[in-house]
Amino acid sequence: MSANTDSQLAKRTDMKLFSGEKLLVIVSLIGFALAAGIAVYISIYGAIILPEGNAESAFSFNAAMGMFILSIAAILPVSGLSPGKRASVRWFFIVAALYSYAVETIQHLRGINPRFSQVGTVVDQIAGGLFGVIALLIVIATALFAIPFFRKRQPGERPLLVLGIRYAFVSTMIAHAAGIWMIVLQSRYTGEAGNLIVLHGLGFHALQALPVLGWLLERSRTDEKRTRQLIHTGGIAWTLAIILIGLQTALARSVFELAMLPFLAGALLLVWLVTVVIAAVGLLKIRKGSMVQTNTVSGEENRDLV
């Protein structure tokens, strides 16, 4: 084996998902644990906490932030960043997430809206203002973190997975735009029926949906041209669906109504799902073929022993 091949294999090993990101995983699990605790609270006491608190909002935020941090933990080793830059990204998201968990949870349980309070004290206003600043910093940090994924990749740097991550970041920035939109409006609603939280949430779920497609395809061992076509198809379909949902929301209309834009968005999400199913079936065939080959070899070895 050549030295160049050894180098490529070593780089591929270094780029394993979650590699070296135990702290980020722990921080993500804190979000899930808080969401679970709040769910128990809601089941006992209900969601509304006067005068402004809503435990359901704290539940959804902590779960969403936990999933976002878990996604960052997964793809950070694939970024190609130096150890120092990786540490900077890691610690920024750790601090931002812990502060966000604390403000969102404590304020809602106190009956205070953590972002747009009308009854809070000066301390509550400061905490909410800092919360907004951190939200904007997360947008900037995410944009900067995306840049390394768009540089030219070297052989062995998991091109299919990285391609899925590239598409995911496009959708994520749309989600961040929806978050800024909510800050400007000081509400999640646009008009009578539009709800930015749907756009915000689905946009962030690209960080799971599209890298998963790349991860499945790189293991399915299908020919390179077909795998790239599939990941482009899934990535473009998801991104267009998010854009259509954004347009429907901007029109102050519900994304769940029976109308052309939601219908097209749903059809595009179905296209993404089909690409995932195709990739998963390809992987299952490979696994099944490997098992059959292993059993065949074992059988031949047993006959030789006899």
Side-chain angles (χ1 to χ4, degrees), residues 200-249:
H200 191 61
L202 274 178
F204 278 121
H205 280 306
L207 278 174
Q208 298 89 50
L210 299 180
V212 161
L213 177 59
W215 182 85
L216 288 170
L217 287 171
E218 72 178 5
R219 283 162 173 72
S220 65
R221 299 179 191 174
T222 312
D223 65 278
E224 182 179 354
K225 182 178 179 180
R226 184 166 184 264
T227 54
R228 292 186 73 86
Q229 286 176 341
L230 281 172
I231 199 162
H232 279 302
T233 299
I236 291 171
W238 182 281
T239 304
L240 289 177
I242 296 301
I243 291 172
L244 291 176
I245 290 170
L247 290 174
Q248 180 75 359
T249 304

Side-chain angles (χ1 to χ4, degrees), residues 14-19 21 72-80 86:
D14 291 341
M15 297 181 75
K16 288 183 178 179
L17 297 177
F18 297 105
S19 177
E21 300 304 332
I72 296 296
I75 66 176
L76 183 53
V78 191
S79 64
R86 270 184 67 175

Side-chain angles (χ1 to χ4, degrees), residues 176-291:
H176 278 310
I180 295 173
W181 194 352
M182 285 189 284
I183 292 174
V184 172
L185 292 176
Q186 295 198 356
S187 172
R188 65 176 60 181
Y189 300 105
T190 58
E192 295 183 358
N195 191 342
L196 287 162
I197 203 68
V198 178
L199 175 63
H200 191 61
L202 274 178
F204 278 121
H205 280 306
L207 278 174
Q208 298 89 50
L210 299 180
V212 161
L213 177 59
W215 182 85
L216 288 170
L217 287 171
E218 72 178 5
R219 283 162 173 72
S220 65
R221 299 179 191 174
T222 312
D223 65 278
E224 182 179 354
K225 182 178 179 180
R226 184 166 184 264
T227 54
R228 292 186 73 86
Q229 286 176 341
L230 281 172
I231 199 162
H232 279 302
T233 299
I236 291 171
W238 182 281
T239 304
L240 289 177
I242 296 301
I243 291 172
L244 291 176
I245 290 170
L247 290 174
Q248 180 75 359
T249 304
L251 292 172
R253 299 170 64 179
S254 171
V255 297
F256 301 108
E257 72 176 34
L258 296 177
M260 182 59 69
L261 291 180
F263 176 80
L264 291 175
L268 288 166
L269 290 176
L270 184 60
V271 170
W272 161 78
L273 181 59
V274 169
T275 62
V276 172
V277 171
I278 292 172
V281 169
L283 178 57
L284 288 174
K285 286 181 179 179
I286 291 295
R287 293 284 176 87
K288 185 176 180 180
S290 298
M291 290 177 64

